Amino acid sequence: MQGLKFYIETYGCQMNISDSAYLKDILINKGLRESDSLENADIIFVNTCSVRRSAEERLEGRLAYYSQIKKNNNLKIFVIGCYAQKEKDNIKKRFPAVDFVVGTRNITKISKIINAPLNEYIFTDMETPEYIEPSIDPFNKYRGFVSIIRGCSNFCSYCIVPYTRGPEYSLNSKKIIDDIKKLVDKGIKEVFLLGQNVNSYGLDTGDIKFYQLLEKINNIDGVKRIRFLTSHPKDFSNELIEAIASLDKVVKQVHLPLQSASDKVLSMMNRKYNYKHYFSIVENLRKRLPMISITTDILVGFPGEDEKDFLETYDAVKEIEFDKAFMFMYSPREGTASYNLEETLSIDEKKERLKKIIEIQNKITVEKLKRFIGTFSSVFIENINKKNNGVFGITDYGLNIILKDFNLQQGQITNVKIESLSGHTLIGKDIKL
Ligand code: 5AD
Ligand code: SF4
């Protein structure tokens, strides 16, 4: 195995990005090397997403392309992640060039699989929860990804994740703290906590609660920043609001998916909250932290969403004024509860609703960003901006900023005056300069 070159291609959510970072670590520890391109690799790993049909279609195109490349050499192809879990029995039938199918709870098996010739090629056991060691962001070596709770037991009626990632399980808090300390020794400054629903952390195991975990991480010397994703509105406690407000290292940003503001649709989605409750969380967050950045996910075109329901969501987007929203059109996923519901909207009607909501949110995003102009922020430096017009960083409200100071280095945390806005990106200046 020593010396073989691997290439990891990652689709989907932050959890996949973090799992790919972990995979990279285990492969490098085994003596493999990272390939600079797909075409030069001996082993390709494609870490996949199934959340919407469009994600799967893109993947299927890629798998066909890998199969082409494989005709000319000894390439080994691994399909891992949610699509691997969901389509386990079909992948090799459709793409015979694929060598191994490894599901979401079998990542730690990969080093064994590449070591020994095996008769098996599908590894999709869901029974045993895995401990995925925290890893370092491949794009910023000063950031550690820590998945604190894996899987999901919420069963929102449209969502495939509980089926592809299995029931939620929290990782032991003592181990998490020890592992973060190890990452700090390796130089990380920012801890990025991940989970499909971080608020549920510890509830399954009787461990400490999420806000207490934040307190403990905040006390670790060397950790300078803490971020986390994703929060579910059903169990967003006041203690958590207080922790976000009072803990100095916690970035003042919350990703709180709304999905819909119609109580009828929320109930059909099995979201377990109504709009009034959602709005009260937003109010409480803003009461405690007036500038807090609140981001969301919106899903339009759920079966049965009529014009009135859609307008409720549209009005809520205007009322709440999110800092940013990820907006999607409903995509039926086989095996989920809503799959059997008859779709009441045509593709064009769904597209039209999505377009409307994107248009209004884009305007709001710009307006909301303006409140930061003239303020000061600490900024965590990421890298030189792709268009080469400055250095890219993240503010203490979790927002993107470009600084015109090219001498700033990745991982530095610097104080900045925010001066203007370009598109959806703040522009600032290092105040030391
Ligand atoms: N169709 C469209 N969007 C979906 N999401 C989850 N499942 C679906 C689906 N079937 C969206 C939700 C979720 C985000 C990660 O993806 O908005 O919050
Ligand atoms: Fe899917 Fe709902 Fe779980 Fe999020 S909370 S992963 S939307 S089932």
Side-chain angles (χ1 to χ4, degrees), residues 152 154-156 158-159 161-162 196 232 259 271:
C152 183
N154 289 322
F155 292 95
C156 300
Y158 51 80
C159 186
V161 171
Q196 245 64 44
H232 194 299
Q259 313 298 2
R271 288 291 287 175

Side-chain angles (χ1 to χ4, degrees), residues 53-119:
R53 179 65 198 136
S54 52
E56 293 189 339
E57 276 164 2
R58 198 164 62 229
L59 265 172
E60 287 161 359
R62 292 302 283 170
L63 292 178
Y65 173 62
Y66 305 143
S67 306
Q68 280 294 323
I69 301 180
K70 187 166 169 167
K71 279 194 185 138
N72 311 319
N73 59 28
N74 284 329
L75 190 63
K76 288 258 175 296
I77 303 175
F78 281 69
V79 180
I80 69 173
C82 285
Y83 180 81
Q85 189 70 46
K86 171 171 166 278
E87 293 295 320
K88 50 183 180 267
D89 299 322
N90 302 324
I91 294 177
K92 247 185 113 66
K93 283 184 206 142
R94 289 191 60 193
F95 305 98
V98 169
D99 296 279
F100 296 103
V101 175
V102 181
T104 49
R105 294 191 176 201
N106 297 259
I107 308 172
T108 48
K109 289 184 193 148
I110 290 177
S111 56
K112 282 196 205 100
I113 304 172
I114 54 173
N115 243 359
L118 295 163
N119 298 327

Side-chain angles (χ1 to χ4, degrees), residues 147-402:
S147 53
I148 59 168
I149 176 164
R150 297 178 65 87
C152 183
S153 305
N154 289 322
F155 292 95
C156 300
S157 63
Y158 51 80
C159 186
I160 197 73
V161 171
Y163 306 92
T164 59
R165 287 194 167 271
E168 72 190 9
Y169 64 98
S170 300
L171 302 161
N172 179 279
S173 63
K174 290 203 176 63
K175 175 103 172 81
I176 290 173
I177 300 294
D178 283 350
D179 283 347
I180 292 177
K181 288 182 182 160
K182 284 186 204 146
L183 286 181
V184 169
D185 290 340
K186 290 185 182 165
I188 66 117
K189 293 184 181 171
E190 180 178 278
V191 174
F192 207 130
L193 305 173
L194 297 173
Q196 245 64 44
N197 176 15
V198 289
N199 311 358
S200 300
Y201 176 79
L203 302 181
D204 56 325
T205 53
D207 205 328
I208 57 174
K209 303 222 170 67
F210 181 53
Y211 77 92
Q212 295 167 315
L213 184 67
L214 285 178
E215 286 167 0
K216 284 194 186 293
I217 300 172
N218 202 73
N219 283 335
I220 300 177
D221 284 341
V223 170
K224 304 274 189 236
R225 273 191 168 209
I226 306 167
R227 294 169 74 187
F228 60 89
L229 270 180
T230 292
S231 300
H232 194 299
K234 80 179 158 74
D235 51 8
F236 205 102
S237 67
N238 288 335
E239 287 101 332
L240 179 55
I241 296 179
E242 193 47 40
I244 297 166
S246 61
L247 299 174
D248 59 327
K249 297 173 184 175
V250 174
V251 167
K252 309 305 176 203
Q253 182 175 51
V254 170
H255 184 62
L256 193 64
L258 169 65
Q259 313 298 2
S260 167
S262 150
D263 289 345
K264 177 190 101 189
V265 174
L266 283 172
S267 156
M268 290 201 308
M269 286 177 166
N270 192 28
R271 288 291 287 175
K272 306 181 186 95
Y273 56 85
N274 57 22
Y275 179 61
K276 189 164 165 255
H277 177 71
Y278 184 96
F279 192 72
S280 73
I281 302 171
V282 171
E283 277 187 323
N284 291 339
L285 280 165
R286 287 182 174 156
K287 230 180 263 161
R288 192 62 183 81
L289 280 166
M291 295 280 272
I292 192 170
S293 151
I294 303 178
T295 62
T296 200
D297 292 344
I298 302 283
L299 202 173
V300 299
F302 188 81
E305 179 192 83
D306 60 27
E307 191 62 26
K308 182 172 159 283
D309 299 316
F310 172 70
L311 284 177
E312 282 177 30
T313 306
Y314 186 85
D315 288 342
V317 163
K318 285 204 290 192
E319 180 177 28
I320 293 177
E321 300 188 321
F322 292 107
D323 288 77
K324 190 174 176 178
F326 301 89
M327 293 160 280
F328 310 103
M329 192 167 85
Y330 173 70
S331 164
R333 308 283 51 219
E334 197 171 355
T336 63
S338 69
Y339 185 71
N340 296 326
L341 298 179
E342 200 184 322
E343 288 218 61
T344 44
L345 296 165
S346 68
I347 287 270
D348 285 344
E349 285 166 320
K350 288 199 277 186
K351 277 191 184 155
E352 190 52 36
R353 288 186 183 179
L354 184 62
K355 192 168 148 246
K356 273 194 194 145
I357 212 131
I358 290 176
E359 262 169 25
I360 184 76
Q361 179 57 44
N362 277 345
K363 285 192 194 131
I364 293 168
T365 299
V366 172
E367 284 309 308
K368 289 284 289 188
L369 281 170
K370 287 184 185 162
R371 76 186 184 283
F372 290 102
I373 296 176
T375 66
F376 296 87
S377 175
S378 77
V379 169
F380 183 69
I381 303 299
E382 295 286 325
N383 49 31
I384 299 282
N385 174 255
K386 277 200 196 87
K387 290 182 205 135
N388 220 17
N389 55 2
V391 170
F392 173 64
I394 311 281
T395 72
D396 45 19
Y397 286 87
L399 300 166
N400 295 347
I401 189 162
I402 288 181

Side-chain angles (χ1 to χ4, degrees), residues 3-40:
L4 282 185
K5 284 189 281 174
F6 67 88
Y7 188 87
I8 307 177
E9 193 160 280
T10 307
Y11 296 92
C13 64
Q14 202 70 36
M15 190 66 92
N16 270 11
I17 296 174
S18 149
D19 286 352
S20 288
Y22 169 74
L23 176 61
K24 178 178 158 179
D25 284 350
I26 56 176
L27 295 173
I28 288 179
N29 283 339
K30 280 243 146 219
L32 282 81
R33 285 182 298 144
E34 193 170 18
S35 169
D36 53 3
S37 77
L38 180 76
E39 287 74 11
N40 290 331

